[in-house]
Amino acid sequence: MKLGMVLRFPGETGIDMAPVLEAERLGYDVVWVGEAYGTDAVSPASWILAQTTRIHAGTGIMQMPARTPACAAMTAMTLQALSKNRFRCGIGPSGPQVVEGWHGVPFGKPHARTREYAAIIRRILAREQPLEHQGEHYQIPYTGPGSTGLGKPLKSILRGDPDLPIYTAAISPAGLRTAGEVADGVLPIYMAPEKADLVTAPVEEGFAKAGAGKTLATFDIAPYVRIRVGDDLAACRDALRPDLALYIGGMGARNRNFLQRFRQAPGLRGRGRRDPGPLPRRPPRRRRRGGCPTR
């Protein structure tokens, strides 16, 4: 097992590098940075790589609909070259509210998009031949409506590293199967140690589909783990509740909340508890503090 950290970057105050440098001194493996609809993930990752020498930095994640696969590959190859192979390429579909409400593009089919996206990045890195891809989400060269007809297959000028590790963000069984099939690692936002099979079993199903002898021994599962250190257990739990409540209850549309579905998965609901269905749009005010259960 290796240790990593997630760096939360508010944007206005800059990056506090002290925790990153201390993590590097202690032998941590990687720092992950994310993006939603404010700061991007690539710029902080670049900043971290420029000021460290050993620790890796990864995008957790680059939203696929926000940039083309070729753009993501160019970014990854550039950061790999600048950092002496310390960059990890994390990609993910994000969610329909951000994709359609912020980026203004169709959400589409996230698992199909992930397969195409990863395949295109790998072809660019391999440089075996000029890039061509005809899929449901991406057509390279593009010949559809509005095209000039002048596009032609190209090969990257920069020689990237074909062994660049690609991670995908996933928490649903279908997403985890896709990760096992096409990626080198997965970034589950939650993972209960007592129910690790909820993550590993679908990943191994993806291995079987991919073939080529993929196993957990060569696949990196990097779950996000919330930690609060202190002597008062109740206070530590209370400090973590708002973040859990936000992600489980407030992320995504009311009737299409992926994390809420995961919370209701068999084995995670308490014994005898019924499926509560979609969460209300706004919890009662009296329950906002300390209202998120611990089990």
Side-chain angles (χ1 to χ4, degrees), residues 93-109:
S94 188
Q97 287 192 319
V98 172
V99 172
E100 297 179 0
W102 181 249
H103 297 298
V105 297
F107 184 60
K109 300 177 181 177

Side-chain angles (χ1 to χ4, degrees), residues 215-271:
T215 69
L216 290 173
T218 56
F219 187 86
D220 190 11
I221 297 179
Y224 291 8
V225 180
R226 274 74 177 165
I227 295 175
R228 186 75 173 190
V229 178
D231 296 325
D232 187 333
L233 179 59
C236 290
R237 282 178 168 169
D238 285 343
L240 295 179
R241 291 180 203 269
D243 187 68
L244 293 172
L246 171 64
Y247 274 85
I248 294 174
M251 288 289 183
R254 184 182 178 217
N255 294 315
R256 195 171 178 180
N257 185 322
F258 303 108
L259 293 174
Q260 172 71 349
R261 290 180 190 175
F262 178 72
R263 183 186 73 82
Q264 296 170 5
L268 287 183
R269 289 200 304 265
R271 182 178 299 177

Side-chain angles (χ1 to χ4, degrees), residues 5 12 20 28 31 45 56 88 90 92 96 151 153 158 162 169 201 220 222 227 242 269 292:
M5 65 177 289
E12 299 86 353
V20 176
Y28 276 53
V31 181
H56 289 215
R88 301 187 190 181
L158 178 62
D220 190 11
I227 295 175
R269 289 200 304 265
C292 182

Side-chain angles (χ1 to χ4, degrees), residues 23-91:
E24 181 174 55
R25 185 188 71 81
L26 293 172
Y28 276 53
D29 185 52
V30 62
V31 181
W32 295 99
V33 289
E35 64 185 20
Y37 41 95
T39 58
D40 76 313
V42 174
S43 300
S46 305
W47 186 271
I48 292 167
L49 290 168
Q51 299 186 63
T52 55
T53 58
R54 297 187 306 277
I55 199 167
H56 289 215
T59 48
I61 43 85
M62 287 191 281
Q63 298 165 350
M64 294 185 296
R67 46 183 70 78
T68 66
C71 178
M74 292 166 64
T75 298
M77 289 190 296
T78 303
L79 288 179
Q80 280 291 79
L82 291 172
S83 68
K84 298 181 179 178
N85 289 348
R86 291 187 294 122
F87 175 68
R88 301 187 190 181
C89 181
I91 59 175

